[in-house]
Amino acid sequence: METIKTETKQDNRNLSELVRKLIPFLGLIVMILVFQIAGDGKLLTRGNLTGILNQTVYVAIMAFGAVFVYSHGGMDLSYGGVIGFSVLISILVANTGVPFAVVVFTSIAAALVWFLLNGAVSIYLKVSPFITSLCIMYMCRGILNTVCATQKYSVPVYIYNYDNWTVKLIVLAAVYIVCYLLFEKSGIGKANKAIGGNPAAAQQAGVRVAQTRLIAYIISGITVGIAAVLLMVRAGSVSTSTGQGMEMNVITALVLGGVPLSGGSRVKMAGSLIGSFSVILLRNGLIILGVNERVIEGIQGLVLLLLVFLTYVKNKDGILK
């Protein structure tokens, strides 16, 4: 009798886990159906799909790296500011006539500096990553506003050669595969998830907590630098609004993809990809329905709040740890 009860409980847990994994996919399908019907078929037109995919690429690549940070229970709000800063530096370097490979390296290095600063301050100086990343976002935004206030910077003509779907899809697939292998199949991802589950237990099990968390920030910085290159190629210029609001898109993408912001073993890399499509689809669908852009931001904030409330696993340190 006891064996039957145990098997029943196990079956219920397996069913619950399966439903939890399917929810992000079902949510994406429901949104597609609702916006396609309510928008009189405008959602799935070729031009609109191209726009959705263009916006999804940047958010998805940043979300792949963000998974490492959020899996150990970290918090980062600097994505929008850092990607804007990286685009600015990349364009300034590109206009010196250097090879494109140097521009890519510069973009990654520019983003990496900020994420190393974020990680070092929050990990070794024990400052809340929420506060640290918020300060970094404002510093990057301040630099961008100062430099671009009176002059618009554009990319050299040759940069537009890289604005094609072959490049974007190859980069997207390559970044996802590398991040997937690191997160799901290597010790880096397992260690970050262990820290998110219980930092003290992870340390007792031999996990180097500080070093592991710093590696997560390094990976996230690299992905932001890569996303900045694609954004630069697509936009062709930089302004004071470049990257604005992307931090909300990244966080919402993770939550829509079923990634709990408290971290732990339930964090999956696939969720970041599904969530990235979902958040862009949500914004795009609301625009098709004629909703004002400012109202859309409010709706996105409400959706994020509700999802965090439903999925966040509370612990003694809370979301600001």
Side-chain angles (χ1 to χ4, degrees), residues 202-220:
Q203 189 167 23
Q204 291 175 358
V207 176
R208 296 181 176 181
V209 175
Q211 293 91 326
T212 300
R213 290 176 62 193
L214 188 61
I215 290 173
Y217 281 100
I218 290 173
I219 294 172
S220 191

Side-chain angles (χ1 to χ4, degrees), residues 2 4-15:
E2 187 66 30
I4 295 175
K5 289 182 178 179
T6 302
E7 291 178 351
T8 302
K9 289 181 180 179
Q10 183 62 41
D11 290 339
N12 289 336
R13 281 196 294 266
N14 292 338
L15 180 61

Side-chain angles (χ1 to χ4, degrees), residues 19 23 58 144 162 170 182 203 220 257 305 318:
V19 171
I23 285 177
Y58 323 129
L144 196 62
Y162 298 95
I170 289 175
L182 286 174
Q203 189 167 23
S220 191
L305 179 63

Side-chain angles (χ1 to χ4, degrees), residues 230-280:
L230 295 179
L231 180 58
M232 174 196 67
V233 170
R234 177 62 181 171
S237 63
V238 62
S239 67
T240 55
S241 62
T242 299
Q244 192 168 5
M246 282 199 178
E247 56 280 336
M248 278 294 291
N249 285 342
V250 172
I251 297 173
T252 308
L254 294 180
V255 176
L256 284 173
V259 175
L261 296 185
S262 51
S265 60
R266 294 173 63 184
V267 179
K268 301 296 180 183
M269 182 59 64
S272 61
L273 181 60
I274 299 301
S276 297
F277 277 104
S278 297
V279 67
I280 299 302

Side-chain angles (χ1 to χ4, degrees), residues 69 75-79 82 111-125 127-137 139 213-214 217 220:
V69 174
M75 167 65 70
D76 199 309
L77 298 176
S78 67
Y79 293 101
V82 173
L112 196 54
V113 167
W114 290 110
F115 274 84
L116 280 171
L117 176 63
N118 189 0
V121 171
S122 60
I123 295 168
Y124 296 107
L125 299 183
V127 178
S128 165
F130 176 87
I131 301 299
T132 306
S133 63
L134 191 63
C135 293
I136 288 176
M137 180 189 73
M139 285 189 286
R213 290 176 62 193
L214 188 61
Y217 281 100
S220 191

Side-chain angles (χ1 to χ4, degrees), residues 172-194:
L172 180 67
V175 175
Y176 179 79
I177 290 171
V178 171
C179 287
Y180 177 85
L181 293 175
L182 286 174
F183 190 74
E184 302 289 357
K185 304 298 181 181
S186 79
I188 296 174
K190 294 175 182 177
N192 272 288
K193 286 188 279 189

Side-chain angles (χ1 to χ4, degrees), residues 42-56 165 277 281 284:
K42 296 178 182 177
L43 181 70
L44 299 181
T45 60
R46 182 176 180 179
N48 195 57
L49 285 175
T50 300
I52 291 174
L53 292 174
N54 269 320
Q55 296 174 62
T56 300
W165 277 108
F277 277 104
L281 186 67
N284 189 273

